[in-house]
Structures are given as structure tokens and as C-alpha cells.
Amino acid sequence: MHEFHRIKRLPPYVFEAVNRAKAAARAGGADIVDLGMGNPDLAAPPHVVAKLCETAGRPRTDRYSASKGIGGLRRAQAAYYGRRFGVKLNPDTQVVATLGSKEGFANMAQAITAPGDVVLVPNPSYPIHAFGFLMAGGVIRSVPAEPSPAFFPALERAVQHSIPKPLAVVVCYPANPTAFVASLDFYRDLIAFAKRHELIVLSDLAYSEVYFDGEPPPSVLQVPGAIDVTVEFTSMSKTFSMAGWRMGFAVGNERLLAALARVKSYLDYGAFTPVQVAATAALNGPQECIDEMRATYRRRRDVLIDSFGKAGWTIPAPSASMFAWVEIPEKFRSLGSLEFSKLLIEKADVAVAPGIGFGEYGDEYVRIALVENEQRIRQAARGIRRFFDNADRTLHNVVPIARAG
């Protein structure tokens, strides 16, 4: 049987190789400190869990729900945007609840992409930013991930040399995996560029509340007129440690959201109603849990930087997100991020995400997630130090061969 068309367009899932190595090590008795997947280990807020339990089993809540989200949830998300960003949204036409931001992004790609459409995507970037469009039949052109002065000249070249003209540009700040943060001035320039070239802007703002230094990250929708061309995706996963609940949002341009809602109406009946009610309670209720989440990740970030630095691996301090984007030490860089990540499991009992999984320009990096407590992060640092101290003796047949190649 021949391979299916859409499956052929997807490359091998890089992270699966790390998962296999991790499973094999654990089967052999190793205690792996897993800093790979960005899967929050913190508990969802107690009042949110209580609302879920209170609602589950009530009459009518077991029925199909609304695909675009119950009215109270959409109003709560609109109120959040008003409080946090000063952005006024119509909850009936400018807010769609999604089954996590990942699902929303993928279905937006299905809604707006014709075969062969070109989309400008950061490289490195979260995989769904590219593969959502690839699965929809689109073509990806890579642009820089960092919101630096080089971004717009590169974007201009991409537009000039793309046939057909690009349909959309994707941005993600605070960025996964790189932890870059964009300013409101950057977004102003982005919207001006998008309008000049008739581009749709798709903004992933999943890490809006995970920040440590300086001002809170802005929304692109704070730019006057941005809503004319923009849809922004947010998530309950990191803000409220509700990753498994699968609740996110798409907000912004009415026409684009109507397209997303229409696609979703054929594919799902919305999230389980008690989950939507609990998510409403999270958005409308006390927000101290967000401060606690932020403080926890800040402490972990600081321990990571300190303990890994003492082990001989300098970690640049991320100002936002729950990740550190870290260059592979020079001695091991020629191995590439996948082989280096597998070596860390074997020699240091530490799992990280290989940068190649986020695009070819990430292959000299790994992503380290702050998803273990401080004690476990220090344990990981001890394993790293043991690995580094013994590498010249134990890897004499690995590193020189890779360098020679």
C-alpha cells in the first residue's frame, strides 16, 4: 500500500527518537530528569478544579456543546483581553474557543489555505506553525525567529521572491522554543508591513503570562487597526497549568474567525461543557494563581542558570516563556542536536528537546523546559557535570569521528 499524500508531507517526528531513548533508559532503571516536553507539572488552580467537579454531572452538561465555545467563556476571554491588553473584542464574532491553541492554529490553516499557498513561518519555531500549513497543502518559507532589525529586510526578501505572493505570516512571542520577546513597536512595524503586502498575521501568544523581567509581553492586537488582518491564539495550558484540559482561544478578525468557526463546526462539537465552565471560572476568578505560577518558573529559571553554569554549561537567561534555548557546547556541536540529546539521556540521565525538531536552523541548540522542581534541576546539573567531566575519556570514538565528518 502506498503512503498517503498528507503523511508523505510530514517529516519523521524528531522528538520520538528522544522519547524512545528515554523509555529505554527508564526501562533499564535510570532516573531520567525530563526537561524535554513543555508539559507543566504544576496543578491547576483549586477553584478551577472545584468548578469542574461542581458542573460535571449536572443535567444537560453531558450533551454536545457549542463548537465555538459557550457564551460565558467567550465573554470571559473578551474581558481578559480588555483587562490585560486594553483591547475590546466582540465575544460573539471576535472570539472562538478552541481545543487548545494547537488545534485552533491547525484548523485556521485548514480554513484559509489553498494548495500551494505560501506562508512565512519563523525558523526555528513550534512545529504546528509550519506543519499545520503543510498538512493543509501550503508551502512554507522560513523567516527569522528573532524580532531584530534583520527581521523586516528578510521578510521583504521573502515576499519579493515568493511565487505566489505569500498568504500569511506567523509570529510567536514570547517564542517557543527560543524565548524571544517582541515589543509593541515591533508589532506596529509588523502590522504596517502586513497591510502593505496584504498579508494575514497569525500570532501565537500562548506564553503571554509567563514572563519574569520588565514589562508584560504585549499583544499584536494592541496596535490600532491590527484586527483588520490579525488572528491571535492563546491558551489556558501554561497560564493556568491546564495543558491536558485542552482549552484555548482564537481572537481577532471577524472574517478569519468565521472561517475557523465554520471548519470547526464540521469537525467538533466543542470542549466538554464542564471544562468550558471551569475555564470561565479561571478567567473570571482570582488571578493570584498566575503570580504563583510565574514565581515558580522564575525560581526554576534561576536555579537552572546557576547550577548548569557551575556544571560548565552557560545558560542564557530567558526573560519569558517556560523554556531556555541553549547552544550545544562547542565540543559536541558537530554531533547535531538529536545525537547530543540522545547522549544526554545515556550519559547524564537528562532529557531535553533537540533543536532540529523546531526547524533546521535550530540544530545547534537544545530546548530545556522548566518542568521539574529545583531539586530535580540541580540533579540534572550534577548529571551534566559528570558527563562533561568524563566526556574526553568515554566519547573518544564519538566526537572526533563526528568532527572529521
Side-chain angles (χ1 to χ4, degrees):
M1 184 180 293
H2 62 80
E3 198 169 4
F4 300 114
H5 169 70
R6 293 195 194 281
I7 302 302
K8 283 195 297 186
R9 302 201 78 200
L10 297 176
Y13 193 57
V14 169
F15 303 115
E16 187 55 36
V18 175
N19 291 338
R20 284 196 301 268
K22 188 168 56 181
R26 283 176 169 159
D31 178 18
I32 302 296
V33 181
D34 193 349
L35 305 175
M37 186 176 181
N39 194 6
D41 64 318
L42 307 180
H47 68 280
V48 178
V49 177
K51 179 59 72 172
L52 174 71
C53 296
E54 174 191 324
T55 310
R58 281 185 177 178
R60 305 179 70 87
T61 61
D62 291 329
R63 295 184 174 188
Y64 294 131
S65 190
S67 179
K68 64 185 287 188
I70 61 175
L73 177 59
R74 288 183 279 111
R75 287 191 293 273
Q77 174 70 350
Y80 161 74
Y81 258 78
R83 291 191 310 271
R84 173 69 165 80
F85 304 112
V87 173
K88 186 175 181 180
L89 296 171
N90 182 334
D92 294 324
T93 59
Q94 295 176 323
V95 180
V96 172
T98 62
L99 305 178
S101 58
K102 187 175 184 179
E103 175 270 323
F105 210 99
N107 278 327
M108 178 59 77
Q110 294 290 336
I112 67 175
T113 309
D117 275 347
V118 176
V119 179
L120 308 178
V121 178
N123 188 341
S125 189
Y126 187 54
I128 197 63
H129 295 157
F131 297 139
F133 288 100
L134 286 174
M135 286 188 282
V139 176
I140 300 305
R141 188 179 184 106
S142 293
V143 296
E146 185 173 5
S148 70
F151 182 87
F152 289 104
L155 213 59
E156 189 77 51
R157 288 192 299 273
V159 169
Q160 290 177 356
H161 296 289
S162 293
I163 300 175
K165 184 181 75 67
L167 169 73
V169 57
V170 175
V171 290
C172 174
Y173 304 109
N176 180 6
T178 58
F180 294 136
V181 178
S183 68
L184 197 52
D185 284 340
F186 172 85
Y187 284 143
R188 289 190 185 98
D189 291 341
L190 177 67
I191 294 302
F193 184 95
K195 289 190 172 185
R196 189 163 65 250
H197 292 284
E198 299 181 319
L199 295 173
I200 296 166
V201 175
L202 300 176
S203 169
D204 185 342
L205 194 62
Y207 297 89
S208 60
E209 302 305 333
V210 189
Y211 59 89
F212 314 119
D213 310 313
E215 291 295 313
S219 161
V220 65
L221 291 174
Q222 291 175 244
V223 176
I227 206 163
D228 299 339
V229 295
T230 301
V231 169
E232 190 158 70
F233 299 85
T234 60
S235 171
M236 309 289 286
S237 295
K238 309 316 189 289
T239 303
F240 294 99
S241 302
M242 294 168 61
W245 299 51
R246 306 316 302 133
M247 181 55 61
F249 300 93
V251 305
N253 180 266
E254 292 184 9
R255 179 170 173 265
L256 293 170
L257 289 177
L260 171 63
R262 185 167 184 185
V263 166
K264 281 178 61 62
S265 71
Y266 282 92
L267 298 176
D268 69 70
Y269 288 105
F272 184 38
T273 296
V275 170
Q276 296 194 54
V277 172
T280 304
L283 289 167
N284 289 339
Q287 303 294 290
E288 290 82 4
C289 56
I290 300 178
D291 297 330
E292 294 167 5
M293 170 274 296
R294 198 178 292 129
T296 296
Y297 286 132
R298 182 187 289 111
R299 287 193 301 271
R300 293 179 180 183
R301 177 199 68 167
D302 294 345
V303 168
L304 178 76
I305 293 165
D306 177 65
S307 61
F308 275 50
K310 289 176 180 175
W313 195 1
T314 300
I315 306 289
S319 63
S321 86
M322 56 188 293
F323 306 113
W325 183 241
V326 189
E327 197 166 20
I328 298 170
E330 195 278 331
K331 177 183 286 188
F332 309 102
R333 202 166 298 156
S334 61
L335 297 175
S337 59
L338 179 56
E339 291 307 313
F340 178 69
S341 297
K342 286 159 43 174
L343 265 182
L344 285 185
I345 293 173
E346 178 188 346
K347 304 294 185 182
D349 293 336
V350 176
V352 298
I356 189 68
F358 304 97
E360 66 269 31
Y361 294 116
D363 200 25
E364 293 187 349
Y365 295 80
V366 295
R367 191 193 71 180
I368 301 176
L370 303 173
V371 292
E372 296 261 19
N373 63 37
E374 292 100 311
Q375 179 182 341
R376 295 280 285 172
I377 291 172
R378 291 189 181 97
Q379 178 182 329
R382 291 192 294 271
I384 295 287
R385 181 165 190 168
R386 185 175 63 248
F387 168 42
F388 286 177
D389 287 348
N390 295 318
D392 288 337
R393 186 175 72 255
T394 61
L395 298 181
H396 62 282
N397 285 330
V398 178
V399 176
I401 290 175
R403 284 179 176 169

